[in-house]
Amino acid sequence: MTAMVEISHLTKHFGAFTAVDDVSFKVNKGEVLGFLGPNGAGKSTTMKMITGFLTPDAGTVTVGGDNIANSPVAVKSRIGYLPEGAPLYSDMTPEKFLHFVAEIRGMRGTEKARRVDEVIQKVNLESVVYKPIETLSKGFKRRVGLAQAIIHDPVILILDEPTDGLDPNQKHEVRSLIQSMASEKVIILSTHILEEVDAVCTRAMIIANGKLLADGTPASLAAKSPLHNSVEITIRTDNPDPVNRELEQLNGIKSVEKFKTTDGCVSFRVYSSTEQTPISLVNQLAHDKDWKVENLHVETGRMDDVFRSITTQQKTTQQKVAS
Amino acid sequence: MANIWVIFKRELAGYFTTPIAYIFIIIFIFLSGIFAFYIGNFFDRGQADLTPFFSFHPWLYLFLIPALAMRLWAEERKGGTIELLLTMPITMPQAVLGKFLAAWAFTAIALALTFPIWISVNYLGEPDNGIILAGYLGSLLMAGAFLAIGSCVSALTRNQVIAFVVSAVICLMFVLSGFPLVLDFFSIWAPEFIVTAISSFSFLTHFEAMSKGVIDLRDIIYFVSLISFWLFANAVLIEYKKAD
Ligand SMILES: Nc1ncnc2c1ncn2[C@@H]1O[C@H](COP(=O)(O)OP(=O)(O)O)[C@@H](O)[C@H]1O
Ligand SMILES: [Mg+2]
């Protein structure tokens, strides 16, 4: 089976500046793909090319088997798109606006009315349907933007920073909505909030300076963290040095780091020299030595560490090339 | 076709959700009346026709139509909705035409609302209503040409004031190139064919005959091709400058 969305060697320049640099990937139904990257990474530009707003300088976009360069209308009719900042015709009411979008998406008569009603319910717009969009709060505006994106029940949903600028409750609502649709669609969203990737994405891509730097499940990306599989142990003691020494002498330990001392408690991080986490060894030792353990757990790795190390690594190599 | 209609409806309704539409129509009717009655000596001429009324239309359109057209694309750019519109399953010509036709229909409405003047001449005398109809048709065609220029210029910027000024200046050139004063200036030193060429580009030259009731196919072709040219340029410009 071919992938629903297939991007190959996508490139976009703005003058001499390369905003998207040879990006290729495939996405299938059921996947929620998160574009993760700092501001200016090229996430929006990539999305604008997939949705047919911008024409790539090189590379192809294939959606549902159609190349966007040859059949732009067919591709656009399969996609629902929430552009960055959710632009809307602000002098219209949500009701008028959604009818307009439904019509331009080819719906007519009762089918149109039914879909508009459904989508209004789905994103909870009932209370504001007859108010001009410009008078609505940011949360409602975002919902109108989402409503227009899903009104034709598209197979592919592309959301550019869908939760940006929303309060925590609104963020949660939008994420729940995305999750509720995830199984039957291809969803591509962008964000620079790492927790969001963990919360909704089945797959994440790290993009920086227009380049695709990492691609995998959120867990597999987190596993690239140097912290992955290390053990964190907090012990109540006044004399941490012997503890440190004992931990270092365990089998298969690469290093021990004392990273925190707070009111009588000392925290250590124990790194294994193998793939295995040293938790049982540490646990056994603590038991044998009768340490007063306050906390003991395996670190799964942190996305933000990985993100920072990958995106800054790239910056420094670029600076080296430049100098 | 269906897509053009959907865009057309939204745009036209858009004019009436803000006071702009009503202000425009009132100013249009008011000024065309003032021009015709006071400056054009509508009553004193002792003739039952609408020549003075129509003869001021080019000058009226010169600032009213750019004001109407300036928002067509500049507003979409400013609000970012251009991204929404152009990622819908429509083609660029459909978007350009839908918007243009809505603006044109709006001017047609404004023009139609000057009917009291037409009723007045019929009450006061016995005008040739065929001539008057030709005048209205010519005026509408000319308004279309003004609008196409305005729409194209509006596609270049997100700033409506810039769109207004630039398209007013371009429209002015198209009007002035047929103005006797300007033509006299050229005829002093330029060969005859250049003067003819300049005046043949003018709205005035092509509108004048129509406002007197003469419907010449060449005048119609002139306006239609002018509209087509500017709308084509409009579509091309948006395609190439979408990202800005
Ligand atoms: N229309 C444009 N003209 C010039 N540069 C642009 C344009 N759009 C985006 N850029 C530049 O391209 C880079 C990528 O932008 P964007 O895709 O919006 O990043 P992101 O969405 O990841 O924050 C940025 O440095 C931005 O300044
Ligand atoms: Mg962006």
Side-chain angles (χ1 to χ4, degrees), chain A residues 14 17 19-20 37-46 48 84 160-161 190, chain B residues 243-244:
Chain A
F14 292 115
F17 176 76
V20 176
N39 285 324
K43 306 180 294 291
S44 297
T45 308
T46 304
K48 286 174 192 184
E84 190 167 6
D160 200 350
E161 305 201 0
S190 74
Chain B
D244 300 356

Side-chain angles (χ1 to χ4, degrees), chain B residues 114-146:
Chain B
T114 61
F115 71 91
I117 289 189
W118 172 71
I119 291 176
S120 309
V121 280
N122 273 281
Y123 178 75
L124 295 170
E126 296 202 335
D128 183 337
N129 282 318
I131 292 178
I132 292 176
L133 193 66
Y136 270 111
L137 197 73
S139 182
L140 188 59
L141 267 175
M142 182 172 61
F146 275 100

Side-chain angles (χ1 to χ4, degrees), chain A residues 139-169:
Chain A
F140 273 122
K141 282 183 185 158
R142 193 62 51 91
R143 288 189 222 172
V144 177
L146 283 166
Q148 66 78 27
I150 61 176
I151 197 160
H152 54 305
D153 197 16
V155 196
I156 295 116
L157 196 53
I158 297 183
L159 310 170
D160 200 350
E161 305 201 0
T163 62
D164 187 51
L166 300 184
D167 70 35
N169 290 337

Side-chain angles (χ1 to χ4, degrees), chain A:
Chain A
M1 201 192 97
T2 54
M4 278 311 296
V5 178
E6 225 175 306
I7 307 303
S8 94
H9 303 291
L10 207 59
T11 301
K12 182 77 191 176
H13 308 284
F14 292 115
F17 176 76
T18 308
V20 176
D21 192 357
D22 197 27
V23 167
S24 304
F25 60 87
K26 293 177 185 179
V27 204
N28 268 310
K29 207 159 157 172
E31 283 189 285
V32 180
L33 169 62
F35 283 175
L36 203 56
N39 285 324
K43 306 180 294 291
S44 297
T45 308
T46 304
M47 290 182 154
K48 286 174 192 184
M49 289 190 281
I50 302 175
T51 53
F53 181 64
L54 292 181
T55 314
D57 293 323
T60 54
V61 173
T62 311
V63 172
D66 282 314
N67 185 328
I68 198 163
N70 306 325
S71 346
V73 173
V75 167
K76 287 173 184 180
S77 62
R78 282 182 202 129
I79 296 178
Y81 178 38
L82 176 72
E84 190 167 6
L88 301 164
Y89 290 112
S90 51
D91 53 353
M92 299 177 98
T93 62
E95 186 250 358
K96 288 243 164 59
F97 174 67
L98 292 174
H99 271 100
F100 164 69
V101 177
E103 273 187 42
I104 215 155
R105 295 266 182 205
M107 291 168 240
R108 294 289 183 276
T110 50
E111 187 212 2
K112 180 182 74 167
R114 186 180 54 81
R115 275 305 297 171
V116 171
D117 285 348
E118 269 177 27
V119 92
I120 283 171
Q121 271 178 24
K122 191 152 189 171
V123 303
N124 293 323
L125 275 177
E126 293 94 336
S127 58
V128 297
V129 277
Y130 300 114
K131 294 183 181 161
I133 291 173
E134 60 200 347
T135 65
L136 303 185
S137 69
K138 205 162 189 173
F140 273 122
K141 282 183 185 158
R142 193 62 51 91
R143 288 189 222 172
V144 177
L146 283 166
Q148 66 78 27
I150 61 176
I151 197 160
H152 54 305
D153 197 16
V155 196
I156 295 116
L157 196 53
I158 297 183
L159 310 170
D160 200 350
E161 305 201 0
T163 62
D164 187 51
L166 300 184
D167 70 35
N169 290 337
Q170 294 168 331
K171 278 192 166 106
H172 180 75
E173 276 172 27
V174 170
R175 286 176 194 158
S176 313
L177 184 68
I178 293 170
Q179 276 164 330
S180 74
M181 296 183 294
S183 61
E184 71 227 45
K185 294 190 193 310
V186 170
I187 300 180
I188 303 178
L189 60 89
S190 74
T191 179
H192 45 248
I193 309 166
L194 294 140
E195 47 167 304
E196 192 150 298
V197 175
D198 265 332
V200 294
C201 298
T202 62
R203 179 178 164 193
M205 279 183 185
I206 296 179
I207 300 177
N209 298 309
K211 291 195 181 66
L212 188 58
L213 299 180
D215 180 356
T217 60
S220 77
L221 287 185
K224 293 192 175 162
S225 160
L227 295 184
H228 178 62
N229 273 355
S230 67
V231 167
E232 195 181 309
I233 181 166
T234 304
I235 292 160
R236 184 167 294 282
T237 172
D238 301 326
N239 187 14
D241 288 342
V243 175
N244 199 342
R245 234 173 294 121
E246 307 259 15
L247 284 169
E248 274 168 347
Q249 278 160 11
L250 278 172
N251 261 337
I253 295 302
K254 192 169 69 185
S255 61
V256 176
E257 176 195 0
K258 190 176 81 187
F259 69 97
K260 201 166 71 190
T261 312
T262 42
D263 34 76
C265 287
V266 187
S267 300
F268 299 92
R269 194 166 280 136
V270 186
Y271 295 95
S272 165
S273 57
T274 66
E275 290 288 293
Q276 242 93 57
T277 172
I279 181 112
S280 47
L281 291 172
V282 174
N283 189 24
Q284 190 62 50
L285 182 69
H287 199 258
D288 292 349
K289 302 285 174 185
D290 215 10
W291 290 334
K292 295 198 182 88
V293 177
E294 296 277 325
N295 182 9
L296 173 65
H297 73 268
V298 181
E299 187 66 70
T300 52
R302 287 187 206 155
M303 201 75 143
D304 52 353
D305 285 336
V306 182
F307 180 76
R308 213 173 310 115
S309 74
I310 289 180
T311 53
T312 54
Q313 209 171 23
Q314 215 232 351
K315 214 170 275 165
T316 47
T317 49
Q318 270 196 345
Q319 275 160 358
K320 266 181 215 147
V321 172
S323 57

